Amino acid sequence: MLGIVGGTCPGRYEHVQRAGNTLSFGAKDCFLKVSLSKDGKTLTEQGFCMKVTKWADTAYYGKAPNHLLQLGINAMLHPQ
């Protein structure tokens, strides 16, 4: 299990996969990969999420997503 406290994709991720130095996980509208470099000095994060930017009120479905925005998530972290 993996947890993200804040940011764009907070929450608890129960389905985490590991391949080498990479963890892959996702839930609902977010998918992320976190990789540690071979020398252990760089952490790279890549992924995407879909966020609703506009809702529509419909007679049949009620409130439904009308416009979605795909957000790219990229980070390269180095120790100081």
Side-chain angles (χ1 to χ4, degrees):
M1 184 180 307
L2 179 103
I4 298 178
V5 178
T8 303
C9 294
R12 180 182 294 174
Y13 296 90
E14 295 182 6
H15 302 288
V16 180
Q17 296 179 337
R18 179 180 173 241
N21 291 342
T22 302
L23 292 176
S24 300
F25 52 96
K28 296 182 186 176
D29 58 356
C30 289
F31 177 77
L32 298 165
K33 284 185 178 185
V34 178
S35 301
L36 183 63
S37 65
K38 290 183 181 182
D39 63 6
K41 295 184 179 181
T42 304
L43 189 67
T44 304
E45 180 181 7
Q46 295 178 319
F48 69 90
C49 72
M50 301 294 286
K51 292 294 179 185
V52 176
T53 59
K54 187 176 180 182
W55 293 87
D57 289 319
T58 63
Y60 186 74
Y61 294 108
K63 194 172 185 180
N66 192 15
H67 293 273
L68 294 171
L69 178 64
Q70 183 172 344
L71 302 173
I73 300 167
N74 293 297
M76 189 172 285
L77 308 168
H78 306 279
Q80 298 227 349

